[in-house]
Amino acid sequence: MFTAVLFDLDGTLVHTKDEYRYKIVGGVLDKLGIRGKLRESKFKKFVDKFWFEEGRDQTIEDFLGVHANEFWKIFRELDTPKKRARALKVYEDVDFLDKLKSSGFKIAIVTGAPPMIAELELELLGKHKFDQIIIANPLSGIEPKPDPRGILLALERLQASPRNSVYVGNSEGDLMAAKKIGVYDVFVDRGEYPIKFTKVKPSLKIRTLYELSDLLKI
C-alpha cells in the first residue's frame, strides 16, 4: 500500500511558458555570438533538448561547440527570478494535491531546479502543502537526478519506505532515480516534448494527476 507521493516540480506541477525558454536561450546564444549561425529548426531542436532532457552540459557542447560553463554563466545572468516568475503557471490538475492530503498521504517535492527558481514555483503552489521539499541541485549540495539521493533524503524525512512510495516526474532522469531505489515511478506526459525512453520505461504513464486515483485507490 502506498503511503507517500513525491513529485518533480518544473514540467510536472508547474509550467514554464514555451516562448520563455526560446527567448532566454536565444539571448544566451546572441551573447555567445552564435545565434545567427543556427538555422531556426536546429535552434529549436537544441532549446527543447536542452530544456527537457538529461545531460544538458553534453547537449550544450555537442550542439554549440562551446564550454558548458561559459553557457551557464550567461544563462544564469538572463534567467532572473523576476523574469521567470512572469513565465510560470501551475497546471490545472494540481488541485489533486489537496485530495492526496485529505486522503492521508504524505507528499513531497524532489526537484533539480535552481533554488531561486524552485522557490518561485513553490510559492505558486503553496509550500505549506508539502511535508518535505528537497532541492537536488549542485547549488544545494545534493546530486541531481538521475542520482536518487534527493528522493532517499525525502523518504528518510517522511519516514516512508521506497516500496510504499511513488515518484511522479516528466523526464527519463526522474524515472531512473526512482527505479534505482525501488520507488514506483510515474511519468506525467504534459504534451510539451516527446521524451524518447532510451534507458528505462515508465512503470505508469499518465496525462493528468487525476489518473493517479486508480493507482492510489482514492
Side-chain angles (χ1 to χ4, degrees), residues 90-140:
V90 299
Y91 290 105
E92 292 181 358
D93 57 3
V94 297
D95 59 349
F96 186 75
L97 298 174
D98 297 325
K99 185 175 183 179
L100 286 176
K101 291 291 286 185
S102 64
S103 299
F105 286 89
K106 299 174 182 178
I107 62 174
I109 291 290
V110 181
T111 177
M116 286 191 298
I117 303 302
E119 283 296 320
L120 290 174
E121 296 178 337
L122 288 165
E123 284 178 18
L124 284 177
L125 290 165
K127 293 176 69 172
H128 64 280
K129 294 180 180 179
F130 303 99
D131 299 298
Q132 289 295 329
I133 296 169
I134 303 296
I135 299 177
N137 183 287
L139 296 174
S140 303

Side-chain angles (χ1 to χ4, degrees), residues 10-63:
D10 194 38
T12 298
L13 300 180
V14 180
H15 171 65
T16 302
K17 295 176 183 177
D18 295 345
E19 58 267 26
Y20 182 80
R21 67 176 181 269
Y22 295 122
K23 180 178 180 180
I24 292 298
V25 177
V28 175
L29 301 192
D30 280 336
K31 285 183 174 291
L32 289 171
I34 56 179
R35 173 68 179 91
K37 300 176 183 178
L38 298 179
R39 297 190 310 274
E40 189 66 15
S41 59
K42 185 174 182 180
F43 167 69
K44 288 190 173 181
K45 182 178 180 180
F46 164 71
V47 174
D48 290 346
K49 185 176 178 64
F50 163 78
W51 200 267
F52 290 105
E53 294 189 19
E54 312 303 318
R56 290 185 174 92
D57 287 358
Q58 194 65 51
T59 297
I60 291 166
E61 294 177 5
D62 289 347
F63 267 77

Side-chain angles (χ1 to χ4, degrees), residues 116-217:
M116 286 191 298
I117 303 302
E119 283 296 320
L120 290 174
E121 296 178 337
L122 288 165
E123 284 178 18
L124 284 177
L125 290 165
K127 293 176 69 172
H128 64 280
K129 294 180 180 179
F130 303 99
D131 299 298
Q132 289 295 329
I133 296 169
I134 303 296
I135 299 177
N137 183 287
L139 296 174
S140 303
I142 302 174
E143 286 297 312
K145 298 164 290 184
D147 190 291
R149 276 175 277 191
I151 297 178
L152 280 171
L153 180 58
L155 294 178
E156 179 183 334
R157 293 180 178 177
L158 291 172
Q159 296 184 318
S161 69
R163 71 174 182 274
N164 296 125
S165 303
V166 175
Y167 186 73
V168 183
N170 71 319
S171 74
E172 193 170 37
D174 292 330
L175 308 183
M176 292 168 65
K179 286 180 184 293
K180 284 177 182 177
I181 55 173
V183 169
Y184 190 89
D185 60 284
V186 177
F187 177 79
V188 58
D189 182 2
R190 295 300 191 179
E192 296 173 344
Y193 181 74
I195 297 292
K196 297 176 182 177
F197 300 107
T198 59
K199 297 177 181 177
V200 295
K201 303 293 183 185
S203 297
L204 176 65
K205 186 175 180 179
I206 61 175
R207 295 192 68 86
T208 76
L209 300 184
Y210 303 129
E211 294 173 62
L212 290 171
S213 291
D214 289 341
L215 175 68
L216 303 174
K217 296 179 172 54

